[in-house]
């Protein structure tokens, strides 16, 4: 999921789908970190729609990849899944005093690096974070899951203090304003762009109760804040004039052809990595928007000579990709696909039922059936034991099995919850109509039928009116919770 569609979930079947490839000859750049030289060309079957600082941003992988070079976060993950300090000076912890518990509430303090700037040279301020909270909670957008656990945010100098509504285990992972709602917003720039001003008091601090009351009040209707939100919701944010805060900025956006990034000369958050090239240009080039056609195109000498890296493939593409000259990368899973369980359903609210669904799925059998012909190593790289990053004390627990499949235990849990002969459990499963999703849902349906759970599959469009990932105001299935799984 893209960041703006992130929400807390009961999750099952943790999988990776991060297959990529790159030229064996490397990129067109010197391997001296201090220099900017050469061009790296990247492709994907999706062409980016927009950048994540605008409300019209989609959740496509291509949008995330383009945005990742242009936006920085307070914290980030390295390739091993470890937290590192990005815009802040250190990762908050109980040991360094960055995380404390007082009166049953978790309090996190972020120490920001001094003199951080946007790509137009203007300073990054606490108002940029408060502004992201305003648009996230605005009724016209309403993407609050995750950050709805924040009670207050205050700022003083380079420090920002977040008080949560309780002790919040995943606070570092996705409960910091930027990480939940997309990018921090360059509020000063956007107010000028939209010709609308957010109520100044809302940019000084954040209080969940006060903001909720403001949106319900008559003062919001027709205000500068509402005008700002409406402009932002429809902003695709993909012109070179739009500013960013990462190491690169946008130089060109030619729809369905090419996106060009160049260095942001005002960027100062992190030094160049020793021994790694820093391209003078990063280009996203459209080769084909048909995923199958793209796989075939990558076998040609012309594509190999002009494209350095291609990504966003599934495991089913691996056999064909390995016929090309590219090096195929199947990384250890750092991200996960998941099944969202609607706890508004009385049955799913019972933890025994959720556990039964978990024990009723063999992840390895599912993967072998969905992607036949791969190596056992590929399957095991993909079947995560846990979505926790490696900084979690539980992530290195070797007692957690890759595949916890146990149908006998699943049936016993269902029986204990009151389901079985004479009282069957019936659930509805909503997914998209892509061939992969159809096959995936049918495999899960078959596995669950073996433990006595009947699943009815309903296919929906991904976007558009009443689509699976559509915004709340357009009848989005996820946001309206009109599903069981």
């Amino acid at each position: 999921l893209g960041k703006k569609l992130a929400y807390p979930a009961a999750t099952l079947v943790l999988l990776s789908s991060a297959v990529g490839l790159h030229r064996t000859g490397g990129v067109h750049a010197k391997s001296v970190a201090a220099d900017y030289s050469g061009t790296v060309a990247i492709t994907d079957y999706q062409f980016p729609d927009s950048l994540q600082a605008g409300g019209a941003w989609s959740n496509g992988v291509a949008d995330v990849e383009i945005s990742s070079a242009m936006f920085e976060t307070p914290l980030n993950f390295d390739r091993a899944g470890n937290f590192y300090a990005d815009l802040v000076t250190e990762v908050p912890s109980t040991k360094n005093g960055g995380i404390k518990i007082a009166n049953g509430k978790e309090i996190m303090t972020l120490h920001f690096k001094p003199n951080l700037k946007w790509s137009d040279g203007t300073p990054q301020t606490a108002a940029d974070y408060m502004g992201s909270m305003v648009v996230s909670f605005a009724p016209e957008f309403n993407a609050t899951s995750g950050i709805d656990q924040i009670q207050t945010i205050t700022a003083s100098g380079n420090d920002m203090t977040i008080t949560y509504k309780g002790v919040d285990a995943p606070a570092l992972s996705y409960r910091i304003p930027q990480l939940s709602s997309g990018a921090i917003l360059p509020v000063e720039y956007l107010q000028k762009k939209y010709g609308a001003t957010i109520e100044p008091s809302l940019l000084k601090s954040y209080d969940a109760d006060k903001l909720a009351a403001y949106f319900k009040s008559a003062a919001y209707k027709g205000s500068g804040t509402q005008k700002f939100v409406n402009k932002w919701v429809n902003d695709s944010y993909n012109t070179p004039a739009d500013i960013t805060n990462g190491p690169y900025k946008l130089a060109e956006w030619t729809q369905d052809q090419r996106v060009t990034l160049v260095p942001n000369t005002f960027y100062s958050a992190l030094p160049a990595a020793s021994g790694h090239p820093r391209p003078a240009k990063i280009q996203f080039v459209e080769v084909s928007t048909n995923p199958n056609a793209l796989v075939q195109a990558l076998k040609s000498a012309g594509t190999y000579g002009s494209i350095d890296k291609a990504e966003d493939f599934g495991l089913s593409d691996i056999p064909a990709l390995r016929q090309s000259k590219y090096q195929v990368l199947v990384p250890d899973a750092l991200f996960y696909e998941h099944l969202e369980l609607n706890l508004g359903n009385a049955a799913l609210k019972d933890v025994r039922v959720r556990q039964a669904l978990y024990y009723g799925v063999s992840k390895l059998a599912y993967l072998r059936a969905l992607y036949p012909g791969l190596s056992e190593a590929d399957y095991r790289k993909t079947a995560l034991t846990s979505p926790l990053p490696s900084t979690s004390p539980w992530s290195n627990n070797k007692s957690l099995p890759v595949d916890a499949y146990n149908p006998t235990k699943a049936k016993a849990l269902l029986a204990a919850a009151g389901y079985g002969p004479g009282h069957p459990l019936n659930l509805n499963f909503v997914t998209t109509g892509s061939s992969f999703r159809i096959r995936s849902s049918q495999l899960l349906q078959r596995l669950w039928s073996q433990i006595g759970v009947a699943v009815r599959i309903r296919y929906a469009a991904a976007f558009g009116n009443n689509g699976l990932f559509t915004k709340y105001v357009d009848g989005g299935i996820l946001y309206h919770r009109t599903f069981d799984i």
Side-chain angles (χ1 to χ4, degrees), residues 6 32 51 100 138 225 234 238 261 277 280 342 346 355 380 411 475:
V32 180
L51 300 181
K100 298 178 180 178
T225 304
N234 294 293
N238 60 1
L261 311 184
N342 185 358
Q355 290 170 338
R380 288 186 172 272
K411 291 176 183 178

Side-chain angles (χ1 to χ4, degrees), residues 149-223:
Q149 297 305 307
I150 297 174
Q151 183 64 52
T152 62
I153 305 175
T154 59
S156 176
N158 290 326
D159 293 346
M160 188 166 74
T161 300
I162 304 173
T163 300
Y164 296 89
K165 296 178 180 179
V167 178
D168 195 35
L172 281 177
S173 297
Y174 61 99
R175 305 281 209 233
I176 298 172
Q178 193 279 331
L179 295 176
S180 298
S181 58
I184 60 173
L185 303 182
V187 168
E188 182 180 348
Y189 164 77
L190 290 177
Q191 289 184 136
K192 293 177 182 177
K193 178 181 181 180
Y194 301 155
T197 302
I198 294 177
E199 164 58 43
S201 64
L202 300 178
L203 298 178
K204 293 179 180 178
S205 62
Y206 166 78
D207 183 290
D209 296 333
K210 290 181 180 179
L211 185 62
Y214 172 72
F215 283 131
K216 292 179 180 179
S217 72
Y220 178 62
K221 309 303 180 186
S223 67

Side-chain angles (χ1 to χ4, degrees), residues 328-391:
V328 179
L329 305 176
V330 185
D332 291 334
L334 292 177
F335 300 93
Y336 57 89
E337 290 246 339
H338 73 275
L339 299 175
E340 171 86 355
L341 307 182
N342 185 358
L343 302 190
N345 177 303
L348 294 175
K349 194 172 183 179
D350 189 323
V351 67
R352 295 169 296 184
V353 173
R354 301 199 302 273
Q355 290 170 338
L357 292 175
Y358 175 71
Y359 288 119
V361 173
S362 168
K363 286 187 279 188
L364 292 175
Y366 167 89
L367 289 167
R368 293 185 190 111
L370 197 58
Y371 308 111
L374 302 183
S375 69
E376 193 65 17
D378 286 339
Y379 296 131
R380 288 186 172 272
K381 279 185 173 183
T382 306
L384 283 167
T385 58
S386 168
L388 297 171
S390 60
T391 51

Side-chain angles (χ1 to χ4, degrees), residues 432-454:
T432 64
S434 70
S435 59
F436 163 76
R437 298 296 177 198
I438 291 171
R439 178 68 174 149
S440 170
S441 60
Q442 290 173 345
L443 286 168
L444 294 169
Q445 181 187 51
R446 186 184 311 164
L447 285 163
W448 281 326
S449 71
Q450 295 171 5
I451 62 170
V453 177

Side-chain angles (χ1 to χ4, degrees), residues 282-313:
I282 301 174
Q283 290 188 331
F284 190 100
V285 182
E286 181 177 305
V287 173
S288 175
T289 54
N290 180 297
N292 296 324
L294 177 58
V295 170
Q296 296 305 313
L298 291 167
K299 298 178 184 179
S300 73
T303 305
Y304 183 76
S306 60
I307 299 295
D308 298 295
K309 180 184 178 185
E311 55 201 5
D312 196 14
F313 301 103

Side-chain angles (χ1 to χ4, degrees), residues 62-73:
D63 298 68
V64 177
E65 288 295 317
I66 289 296
S67 294
S68 66
M70 289 186 279
F71 292 101
E72 291 290 71
T73 60

